[in-house]
Amino acid sequence: MSTAEVALATPDQVAKYEPVIGLEVHCQLATNTKIFCGCPTSFGEDPNSNTCPVCLGLPGALPVLSRQAVELGVQGSLALHCEINPISVFARKNYFYPDLPKGYQISQYDQPLAEHGWVDVQVDGATKRIRVTRVHMEDDAGKSSHEGFRDSEKFSYVDLNRAGTPLIEIVSEPDMRSAEEAYAYLTEVKQAMQFIEVSTCDMEKGQLRCDANVSVRIKGAEKLGTKVEIKNLNSFRHVKLGIEYEILRQIALLESGQRVRQQTRLFNVDSGETTLMRDKEEAADYRYFPEPDLLPLVVTEEWKSELQARMPELPADRRSRFIHEYGLREYDAQVLTLTRPMADYYERAAKASSDPRTTANWVMGDLAGMLNGAGKSIEESPIPAEHIGELVGLIASGELSGKLAKDIFTKMYAEGLSAKTIMDRDGLRQISDTGAIEKIIDEVLAANPKQVEQYKGGKPTVIGFLVGQVMKASKGQANPGAVNEMMKAKLDS
Ligand code: ADP
Ligand code: ZN
Ligand code: MG
């Protein structure tokens, strides 16, 4: 069902405008307990079982700030190259919602945890820097679900297990100019948070949520257009689709002489459209004021340095290190740093081999292919990283031909054994010993006099057949290069 309010803009119209996008990303911090109480943050428990007077918002209950939440918040901010404010202040953001029992959210307002960061993204082969305005900490609300609304009986349920879960909100500057850039930014932010284990960022579990602010302006104009905020973007794909739709809608409005109204709109998954949720509320509507039950948050230089020192290497840094240290191509480095487990696996394999580039090919090619086929992640690989390294080393030293290595790899995957173990057990080893190869060649030539005659009579292509016979007689273990060379020398002599 499609009920577009306006016809969408045509390509000619689109060409006149420049989209402007800023994202607000909520990331659930990977703490064991909630931000202001000791309740567990475990997912999928019985409704309202992970609750206490604090997160139920009972009168008189007092919040106590989680140290772990602050530490993850600081590390997440550092990963986005933000400056950490030595003092930040929690504030009450007042609004009513059935799943917000306190009647306010504890957030940060004019003194956030961190500011002035950036994220570099790659789009169309170019690097673009997107500025991060601020990162602030806040507690999450609970969850409402509605049932039976088409029947006469209607039920709404409130589950407060999520209420009080720690979040950071990452607000970008309006620096993005296309849905692709927004997608790339989101990917980069997610990857960074996962890499340093600040958040697992599972979108299906709501651990990563994104609101997109979109406006358009005539190309070359300085003033920003009126923005619309899109909510309900539950996947990266929806973020992209929602932004793309909104750009077309706004341009069509302007082209037909109307104006864009500042609104909050919802992305509709079924129609691919955005629909009006409400006219935008202003900050004043929330009546922000400093949270009287919490002291200002002080992050000393010392604490910050300690957290910085404890932080794992960031994906972008690891990417460039892979390029310089292991001589990988940009693309390979990109693929191998998509997730931390993948990067760790590759690095262990590369260290165990003498040839990091070939190791990269095995990990990204044969191994990734097998894992994909089986629906397995790299963490579930039946082949330990060190075994890949050993395999690559055996090829480099000439003990294994490429063909043998492939066969052995299949066995390694199936049996979880090392290449050496399989070679010893199955008597597989590349024969590079010229004496041994010569012996087989002589036998093959003696057994195939007709083909030898044809070769000498001017039919050089039969050499392929003869080499094939040698490979067969050696059970694929003869070094094919050596066989070719020696066979030719013998026939031509
Ligand atoms: P609000 O006060 O409405 O929350 P903010 O200034 O805090 O607005 O910005 C919220 C988000 O909207 C930020 O990510 C910012 O980059 C983005 N934004 C602000 N103005 C625009 C605009 N004209 N077009 C697109 N995005 C914008
Ligand atoms: Zn609680
Ligand atoms: Mg704002």
Side-chain angles (χ1 to χ4, degrees), residues 24 93 109 134 136 169 171 227 229 280 283 288:
E24 294 165 284
K93 183 181 184 182
Y109 184 50
R134 54 187 272 143
H136 63 253
E169 178 173 344
V171 183
K227 76 168 156 55
E229 180 173 354
K280 175 73 184 171
Y288 277 101

Side-chain angles (χ1 to χ4, degrees), residues 90 111 146 186 204 210 258 262 319 357 398 424 449 473 490:
F90 285 95
Q111 286 176 267
H146 312 286
L186 203 51
E204 274 171 29
C210 174
Q258 301 175 67
Q262 182 159 339
R319 221 148 43 218
R357 289 185 72 155
D424 289 343
K490 256 192 195 297

Side-chain angles (χ1 to χ4, degrees), residues 20-24 133 171-175 213-216 224-229 262 280-283:
V20 173
I21 300 148
L23 297 185
E24 294 165 284
T133 315
V171 183
S172 86
E173 290 291 312
D175 283 352
N213 297 271
V214 180
S215 68
V216 298
L224 292 178
T226 304
K227 76 168 156 55
V228 160
E229 180 173 354
Q262 182 159 339
K280 175 73 184 171
E281 67 287 335
E282 301 291 330

Side-chain angles (χ1 to χ4, degrees), residues 105-226:
Q105 190 182 13
I106 301 180
S107 183
Q108 295 183 314
Y109 184 50
D110 47 5
Q111 286 176 267
L113 179 69
E115 290 172 278
H116 312 305
W118 51 264
V119 172
D120 279 344
V121 299
Q122 322 285 330
V123 177
D124 296 333
T127 302
K128 174 160 178 179
R129 181 156 293 186
I130 312 292
R131 290 168 300 160
V132 172
T133 315
R134 54 187 272 143
V135 176
H136 63 253
M137 301 186 68
E138 59 189 24
D139 61 356
D140 205 349
K143 224 177 163 169
S144 309
S145 45
H146 312 286
E147 227 177 62
F149 268 65
R150 293 210 182 85
D151 311 329
S152 51
E153 287 193 288
K154 303 173 183 178
F155 296 99
S156 284
Y157 301 94
V158 171
D159 177 5
L160 295 176
N161 282 352
R162 202 181 66 182
T165 299
L167 304 176
I168 46 173
E169 178 173 344
I170 303 162
V171 183
S172 86
E173 290 291 312
D175 283 352
M176 288 154 273
R177 296 290 175 267
S178 66
E180 287 73 29
E181 286 184 12
Y183 191 97
Y185 167 83
L186 203 51
T187 305
E188 202 67 38
V189 168
K190 176 181 176 195
Q191 199 191 355
M193 293 307 123
Q194 286 180 326
F195 237 82
I196 60 169
E197 291 170 348
V198 154
S199 172
T200 40
C201 292
D202 187 339
M203 252 183 149
E204 274 171 29
K205 291 185 185 162
Q207 293 168 342
L208 183 77
R209 276 167 270 158
C210 174
D211 302 329
N213 297 271
V214 180
S215 68
V216 298
R217 62 181 170 188
I218 294 278
K219 277 183 184 159
E222 261 188 41
K223 199 166 166 287
L224 292 178
T226 304

Side-chain angles (χ1 to χ4, degrees), residues 274-437:
T274 65
T275 51
L276 179 63
M277 179 184 173
R278 58 173 181 247
D279 281 301
K280 175 73 184 171
E281 67 287 335
E282 301 291 330
D285 296 337
Y286 290 122
R287 299 288 184 271
Y288 277 101
F289 63 86
E291 167 59 58
D293 292 337
L294 288 166
L295 290 168
L297 169 58
V298 177
V299 180
T300 60
E301 272 302 313
E302 205 184 347
W303 193 14
K304 190 179 81 178
S305 312
E306 187 199 316
L307 291 169
Q308 176 100 58
R310 264 202 270 143
M311 200 156 84
E313 193 177 19
L314 292 170
D317 297 338
R318 203 153 191 194
R319 221 148 43 218
S320 58
R321 192 167 59 75
F322 278 9
I323 292 170
H324 296 120
E325 201 172 317
Y326 299 129
L328 297 191
R329 288 174 302 159
E330 173 90 39
Y331 174 80
D332 295 358
Q334 190 107 16
V335 172
L336 290 170
T337 54
L338 274 179
T339 66
R340 170 104 167 267
M342 175 60 106
D344 289 345
Y345 185 98
Y346 165 70
E347 192 144 29
R348 282 205 310 278
K351 288 221 164 89
S353 83
S354 48
D355 183 350
R357 289 185 72 155
T358 308
T359 307
N361 292 338
W362 278 90
V363 172
M364 292 165 55
D366 298 80
L367 181 63
M370 294 278 251
L371 291 172
N372 271 344
K376 285 197 160 111
S377 71
I378 191 82
E379 290 130 296
E380 299 165 309
S381 169
I383 305 183
E386 291 72 19
H387 287 182
I388 294 279
E390 185 197 75
L391 180 73
V392 172
L394 289 165
I395 302 168
S397 68
E399 285 172 75
L400 280 181
S401 67
K403 162 88 178 60
L404 261 187
K406 296 258 177 203
D407 294 347
I408 288 175
F409 174 82
T410 311
K411 294 185 183 179
M412 288 165 67
Y413 189 93
E415 303 175 54
L417 299 172
S418 78
K420 279 214 176 93
T421 309
I422 293 170
M423 285 162 67
D424 289 343
R425 184 192 68 188
D426 298 354
L428 299 170
R429 211 162 282 271
Q430 169 157 279
I431 305 169
S432 295
D433 167 16
T434 46
I437 293 177

Side-chain angles (χ1 to χ4, degrees), residues 234-248:
N234 295 326
S235 72
F236 279 39
R237 204 171 70 86
H238 292 170
V239 172
K240 196 157 169 279
L241 292 175
I243 293 172
E244 280 166 355
Y245 176 87
E246 190 54 30
I247 291 169
L248 296 180

